[in-house]
Each structure stands twice: as C-alpha cells, then as structure tokens.
Amino acid sequence: MSHGARVIRTGVSSGGPAAPPPVTVASSSAGSDAELMDGGYFRSCAGMLKVAQMISLLIGFISVNNSSWTDYSAYSFFQIVTMCDLVMILFFYIMHIFRVYRKLTCVSWPLAEFLHYLIGTILLLIGSIAAAAKSYNITGLVAGATFGFLATILCVISMWSSYKVSCITQSTSKYR
C-alpha cells in the first residue's frame, strides 16, 4: 500500500461548489471534442507548411548523408540540426493533430512553438551556411545546403505567421 501524495481532480473551484454541466452543451460539443484527430489541420496553411518543412529537412538530410564529404564537423552539425528540427516539427505537428494543447494547458504552446522556431531557424541557417561553404561543388552537398536554406525560409514564414496570429489577434481583440 502506497502512502505517497495523490492528486485528486474535482470540478469544484475554490469559490464554491460547481453547478452540474448542462446536457445541451455536452451534446453539442461532443462532435468536435470527441474526435480523436483534427482533420482540418491537415488542410490548413500551418499544417501544410509543417509538412513542407519536414519534407525539405528530410531531403536535405538524405542528400548530405548519401554524399561523400571531407569536412566532418560542418556536415555532422548540419545533419544533427536537420534531424533535431525535423523531430521537433513532427512533435508539434502531432500535438496539433491530436489536440494535445487542449489537454495540457499548463504549457504555453504558442510560446513553446515560437521559441522552437526561433532557435531552430538560427541553428538551421548556421548549418546551411556551413554546409554551403564546405560543399566544394559536390552535387549532393549542394542539394543538401539548398534544401537547408529552403527549410530555413519555411521556418521563418511559419515563425512570422504564428507570431502575427498570436500577438496581433490578441492586441486587436483587447480594444473591442
């Protein structure tokens, strides 16, 4: 028998007892909240932008990985940055598809995604510049650097659009 601390979740706030939820609200929102996946995110601009980022990062990684290169430090840094960025973009993509942000409200997801894009874009730009500088006109390395620059541009667009939507929308809705 465990005597450790337990967390008990209730629907009661510290202000007093909570009223039972109305039946009509539960049945009307059951269609949107009961679905496991958000099918609209697949077709949204943000979802398609994330897919384009992942594809360009994957092509850049594969083209550098399958080329013969002599400067180990530049291309290993490029490979590490592209894979880490790809994994984080995939994480945020899955988080949006399965609506994890609705269940884990203790994390500021727009801020976390913005910081990921900020740091990842800077590292990806540095890695792409280093890969382009050390390519020595080898086609696979040039292609990898090119797709690295393409992914950098897509990350900047995604970062700008998420900042524009989250900050400008909040500031205009305050004065209504």
Side-chain angles (χ1 to χ4, degrees):
M1 179 177 245
S2 173
H3 295 286
R6 292 185 289 162
V7 176
I8 300 172
R9 295 184 181 180
T10 64
V12 179
S13 67
S14 60
V23 177
T24 58
V25 171
S27 63
S28 66
S29 66
S32 62
D33 289 340
E35 294 175 0
L36 180 62
M37 292 178 32
D38 185 10
Y41 190 73
F42 291 119
R43 295 176 299 277
S44 70
C45 287
M48 288 189 282
L49 193 59
K50 280 187 184 9
V51 170
Q53 291 167 2
M54 289 187 285
I55 289 172
S56 63
L57 286 170
L58 188 63
I59 291 172
F61 175 80
I62 289 172
S63 62
V64 166
N65 194 37
N66 291 334
S67 299
S68 59
W69 34 278
T70 57
D71 194 358
Y72 183 75
S73 62
Y75 288 105
S76 62
F77 177 75
F78 180 79
Q79 287 178 325
I80 289 170
V81 168
T82 54
M83 277 297 104
C84 289
D85 216 14
L86 177 71
V87 167
M88 287 304 296
I89 291 171
L90 181 66
F91 170 74
F92 283 114
Y93 187 71
I94 290 172
M95 183 200 65
H96 282 289
I97 287 175
F98 290 110
R99 300 176 180 161
V100 175
Y101 59 90
R102 289 185 182 177
K103 294 173 182 61
L104 295 175
T105 58
C106 60
V107 176
S108 174
W109 291 109
L111 179 64
E113 193 168 2
F114 178 76
L115 289 176
H116 156 258
Y117 276 119
L118 181 68
I119 295 168
T121 303
I122 291 170
L123 291 176
L124 190 59
L125 180 64
I126 292 169
S128 298
I129 290 172
K134 303 287 183 170
S135 66
Y136 304 114
N137 292 332
I138 300 172
T139 57
L141 301 179
V142 172
T146 303
F147 279 103
F149 283 122
L150 177 65
T152 303
I153 292 169
L154 292 173
C155 286
V156 166
I157 291 170
S158 183
M159 182 174 53
W160 178 76
S161 67
S162 68
Y163 175 75
K164 184 182 95 172
V165 168
S166 64
C167 293
I168 293 175
T169 304
Q170 291 175 359
S171 66
T172 58
S173 65
K174 184 177 18 175
Y175 297 109
R176 289 184 183 182

